Amino acid sequence: MANSNLSKAKNAKNDEFYTQYQDIEKEIMAYLDYDPNTFTGKTVLLPCDDPEWSNFTKFFAQNFERLGLKKLISTSYAPDSKKLSIHYQPTLFETTDPQYDKQKTIVNGKIFTLTHDKSGDGKIDVNDLEWTYLKGDGDFRSAEIKKLRDEADIIITNPPFSLFREFVAWIIEAEKKFVIIGNMNAITYKEIFPLIKENNMWLGNGFKAGNAYFSSPTYNDYADGVFDKETGLVKFRNCVWFTNIDHGRRHQPLSLMTMTDNLRFNKKIKEFGYQKYDNYDAIDIPFTDAIPSDYEGVMGVPISFLDKYCPEQFEIIWRGGDILWAENECPFFTPPSQDKSIEYRKQNSTWRVQNPYLIINNKAQTVYQRILIKHKK
């Protein structure tokens, strides 16, 4: 149900989900543990933010000196551009400032910057943030925000769910480093998977126990166990960090059993064994911990495998369902005959010739999204 509500949010353009401070801290610390100079001398841009109370802005402002930042830039969308069903109320921080403007607070975004000790207390932190209204509404696609993007070294944010594809393209266009939050199913997007395959994007360190908790001003219509009325947090199990900045967990190889030992001891696999797809020259691995250590051929694994993917251990070679890529046909794909296709479609109206499927009890059964991988020799 959590994933269902994430999809509802995307379809309804309900993008108001705010990240917890401890989740941001946990993720950023993973990059520092791997390379203490990750942020040294860098300009960090936090677009799609709400700087007055955003945990992204708060974390990077409070840790400005610790991270060795050169400059912090944080921008927000104008409330009028969000089309929220709730009443907008500007913060006291804004209304008590001499530059407060009743009209601009509705139709203009804001920009917060941090570069030096403005307060004179001997440290650079959140009290030294300076702000003004943007000329436009803060949309990341505007020329105003693109200019800030081009100035930045690293882009970090929780972008709108409904604009994830566009946001990633916006970052890649400028060849920037990034750490962003998205739906794990974005792995399967035709715009995203090639980046992952070519090691231009990978999953970050991750949320604790795989659970992401966000606050949201529009938290209605959630199932029991998804929204906590006491904390005001919405729980999603299908959110991940996407990045192109290295971290240590990415280079930890999986500890695996041989195929023989999996068939003997792994309860998840020994009942059905390792089955070969009817339309791909690969075997199906329904669980990441069932990957055999000694199989030399192609294997179809769940997309959640990427959370454990070690580039020194495995090669990502294709995505199940993508029979065409970069103008080349998938070398592991063999379409069924026309007679078989007609028969399979009668059995299952949602069956598609390019999706990996198994023949079980003489019937074609499509598996969930799969990534095709091989062991590196």
Side-chain angles (χ1 to χ4, degrees):
M1 182 61 73
N3 297 346
S4 171
N5 279 293
L6 187 61
S7 298
K8 287 181 182 178
K10 176 182 173 183
N11 294 333
K13 303 298 187 289
N14 173 15
D15 296 328
E16 295 294 298
F17 292 94
Y18 300 106
T19 315
Q20 299 303 292
Y21 187 98
Q22 61 267 28
D23 288 333
I24 298 169
E25 182 175 43
K26 176 179 179 291
E27 186 67 21
I28 298 305
M29 288 302 108
Y31 305 108
L32 287 178
D33 288 342
Y34 187 77
D35 178 5
N37 296 315
T38 298
F39 298 96
T40 302
K42 300 297 194 297
T43 294
V44 171
L45 172 63
L46 313 173
C48 315
D49 218 27
D50 272 302
E52 289 100 319
W53 59 279
S54 161
N55 285 315
F56 278 103
T57 300
K58 185 176 181 181
F59 173 81
F60 282 96
Q62 287 298 94
N63 291 279
F64 188 93
E65 294 181 326
R66 178 185 179 186
L67 297 172
L69 295 180
K70 174 185 177 182
K71 185 177 183 180
L72 177 65
I73 308 170
S74 182
T75 65
S76 69
Y77 278 101
D80 193 51
S81 69
K82 298 179 183 179
K83 297 180 174 57
L84 294 177
S85 58
I86 60 175
H87 174 68
Y88 170 70
Q89 179 64 43
T91 64
L92 285 174
F93 174 87
E94 181 182 355
T95 58
T96 56
D97 192 288
Q99 65 177 314
Y100 171 63
D101 186 303
K102 288 184 179 180
Q103 179 64 22
K104 287 184 176 180
T105 191
I106 298 296
V107 298
N108 293 77
K110 301 185 190 72
I111 177 171
F112 282 58
T113 57
L114 179 60
T115 57
H116 64 284
D117 176 19
K118 183 186 72 171
S119 65
D121 62 0
K123 58 183 179 181
I124 305 176
D125 59 17
V126 69
N127 296 313
D128 300 306
L129 283 164
E130 300 178 87
W131 77 279
T132 188
Y133 293 107
L134 291 165
K135 294 179 181 179
D137 65 2
D139 191 310
F140 67 88
R141 295 162 292 190
S142 68
E144 185 176 24
I145 306 302
K146 280 186 177 180
K147 186 176 180 180
L148 297 174
R149 174 201 66 179
D150 295 343
E151 176 187 351
D153 299 295
I154 304 173
I155 297 170
I156 302 174
T157 193
N158 180 0
F161 294 152
S162 60
L163 299 174
F164 188 80
R165 288 180 172 90
E166 286 186 73
F167 191 80
V168 171
W170 181 79
I171 295 175
I172 298 300
E173 177 188 52
E175 299 181 344
K176 299 298 180 178
K177 295 293 185 181
F178 61 89
V179 183
I180 61 175
I181 295 173
N183 185 344
M184 178 172 281
N185 286 328
I187 290 167
T188 65
Y189 296 169
K190 64 180 181 180
E191 302 88 348
I192 303 300
F193 187 73
L195 297 172
I196 293 173
K197 178 184 180 296
E198 299 302 325
N199 260 334
N200 293 319
M201 173 191 279
W202 46 85
L203 296 194
N205 185 62
F207 292 95
K208 184 177 180 180
N211 295 320
Y213 295 86
F214 302 98
S215 59
S216 172
T218 54
Y219 49 73
N220 52 5
D221 193 30
Y222 290 108
D224 292 341
V226 176
F227 174 69
D228 189 323
K229 293 182 180 179
E230 292 186 8
T231 64
L233 298 177
V234 182
K235 175 182 177 181
F236 292 127
R237 298 191 64 184
N238 208 27
C239 283
V240 294
W241 295 87
F242 291 93
T243 187
N244 59 355
I245 300 177
D246 231 337
H247 57 87
R249 195 167 72 83
R250 180 171 177 255
H251 300 283
Q252 296 174 3
L254 279 169
S255 179
L256 303 170
M257 293 189 291
T258 65
M259 181 176 284
T260 299
D261 284 345
N262 268 294
L263 292 171
R264 290 179 61 193
F265 305 115
N266 192 333
K267 293 180 180 179
K268 294 180 179 179
I269 197 69
K270 68 179 184 179
E271 182 178 354
F272 298 105
Y274 293 99
Q275 301 182 66
K276 190 173 182 179
Y277 300 119
D278 189 60
N279 57 342
Y280 282 87
D281 186 14
I283 61 172
D284 184 56
I285 313 290
F287 307 98
T288 297
D289 62 3
I291 296 173
S293 62
D294 56 347
Y295 187 75
E296 297 182 356
V298 180
M299 299 172 283
V301 296
I303 61 173
S304 57
F305 156 81
L306 287 179
D307 193 41
K308 302 286 177 32
Y309 167 58
C310 172
E312 291 80 23
Q313 185 179 22
F314 295 103
E315 175 188 4
I316 299 174
I317 54 178
W318 220 272
R319 185 182 76 86
D322 286 332
I323 57 174
L324 294 176
W325 185 328
E327 300 179 356
N328 294 314
E329 289 192 3
C330 174
F332 311 101
F333 175 75
T334 302
S337 66
Q338 185 175 4
D339 289 343
K340 278 189 175 182
S341 294
I342 294 172
E343 179 184 344
Y344 295 156
R345 193 163 283 112
K346 285 180 180 179
Q347 296 172 358
N348 183 351
S349 60
T350 62
W351 176 83
R352 298 174 66 208
V353 66
Q354 67 266 42
N355 289 342
Y357 64 89
L358 305 169
I359 302 298
I360 300 176
N361 296 325
N362 296 318
K363 292 185 178 180
Q365 296 192 14
T366 303
V367 297
Y368 193 60
Q369 298 280 4
R370 292 290 191 257
I371 295 171
L372 302 180
I373 66 168
K374 286 183 71 173
H375 281 285
K376 280 192 172 179
K377 296 181 180 180

